[in-house]
Amino acid sequence: MSPRTYRIGQIVPSSNVTMETEVPAILRARETIAPERFTFHSSRMRMTHVTPEQLKSMDADSDRCAVELSDAHVDVLGYACLVAIMSMGLGYHRTSEERLHTRTAENGAPAPVVTSAGALVNGLHTLGAKKIALLAPYMLPLTKTVVDYLTHEGIEVLDYEALEIPNNLDVAAHDPSKLPGLARALDYADADAVVLSACVQMPSLGAIEEAEQLLGKPVVSAAVCTAHQMMRALDLPAIAPGAGHLLAGAYAEAPLPQRTAPMA
């Protein structure tokens, strides 16, 4: 019997060129150690500059994208923009995931939905990380939005750096080899984990294990957490070589989160 092939759907900002490389790279790496196979399918929402106005307009397009991807009967659907979700209000990833799942069900092809915002929250909780340090490419006000969102979810951000790159294609062009050094400059000594990229457009996959060696801490990214949550949504062991501590095996069978909001 041949191994099952899963269809991975992603809702992607029109200028995002990273999630369609890093998520497939993680799952292709998994194919070297596990029998399942994957194909990748995207639908795009218009966004070129990471501003609150464009993010809100883009998020309104996500329902259309969910329906388009459900036409292809994808097995899981990922919303590939972290700050778009976080800028819509505290806890909004739950609202988005439920609404988009409903759109797929209404279209006759129900699929679980993972947002990169929710995945980062859940990935950090899976690691037991109550205190973190993080890097983000956003302008300072949006980076503070990310910090406030994580704080609301019970994750204390001890230190962070906003790289303040306004153009989304420039975010994708940022050299990931610089990230470990930038992370080392953070105050991370008391952190339980470090987020090397709190953005699914800023590439970091190739630098995560180097950063773990340099910092002596678990290191994740929004993309790694998204891949972890997608695999768990498919009821597959969440493992992949070369993607850091979260996907190294200890959390392969971690349960999916409850769909409840944090305590106020």
Side-chain angles (χ1 to χ4, degrees), residues 18-63:
T18 302
M19 277 300 264
E20 291 156 310
T21 56
E22 291 203 339
V23 167
I26 292 167
L27 293 174
R28 292 291 183 234
R30 187 187 187 278
E31 289 179 344
T32 67
I33 60 170
E36 294 83 15
R37 296 295 179 260
F38 304 93
T39 62
F40 303 95
H41 315 276
S42 299
S43 181
R44 308 185 88 77
M45 313 171 283
R46 190 81 197 280
M47 190 269 282
T48 55
H49 287 76
V50 189
T51 64
E53 296 76 19
Q54 285 204 18
L55 291 171
K56 183 176 181 179
S57 174
M58 182 188 72
D59 182 65
D61 251 356
S62 61
D63 291 67

Side-chain angles (χ1 to χ4, degrees), residues 130-134 146-147 150-151 155-160:
K130 300 181 183 303
K131 298 179 179 181
I132 67 165
L134 69 80
V146 172
V147 171
L150 293 174
T151 300
I155 299 163
E156 182 182 355
V157 181
L158 299 176
D159 196 15
Y160 64 91

Side-chain angles (χ1 to χ4, degrees), residues 16-115:
N16 186 295
V17 296
T18 302
M19 277 300 264
E20 291 156 310
T21 56
E22 291 203 339
V23 167
I26 292 167
L27 293 174
R28 292 291 183 234
R30 187 187 187 278
E31 289 179 344
T32 67
I33 60 170
E36 294 83 15
R37 296 295 179 260
F38 304 93
T39 62
F40 303 95
H41 315 276
S42 299
S43 181
R44 308 185 88 77
M45 313 171 283
R46 190 81 197 280
M47 190 269 282
T48 55
H49 287 76
V50 189
T51 64
E53 296 76 19
Q54 285 204 18
L55 291 171
K56 183 176 181 179
S57 174
M58 182 188 72
D59 182 65
D61 251 356
S62 61
D63 291 67
R64 169 187 57 80
C65 294
V67 173
E68 290 179 358
L69 288 166
S70 66
D71 285 344
H73 286 215
V74 296
D75 294 295
V76 65
L77 196 156
Y79 187 120
C81 187
L82 176 138
V83 76
I85 294 291
M86 292 190 176
S87 66
M88 293 292 287
L90 298 175
Y92 181 71
H93 68 274
R94 298 176 182 86
T95 301
S96 174
E97 289 166 4
E98 185 63 34
R99 189 185 75 245
L100 297 177
H101 170 70
T102 298
R103 296 294 173 267
T104 67
E106 290 170 346
N107 198 37
V113 176
V114 173
T115 63

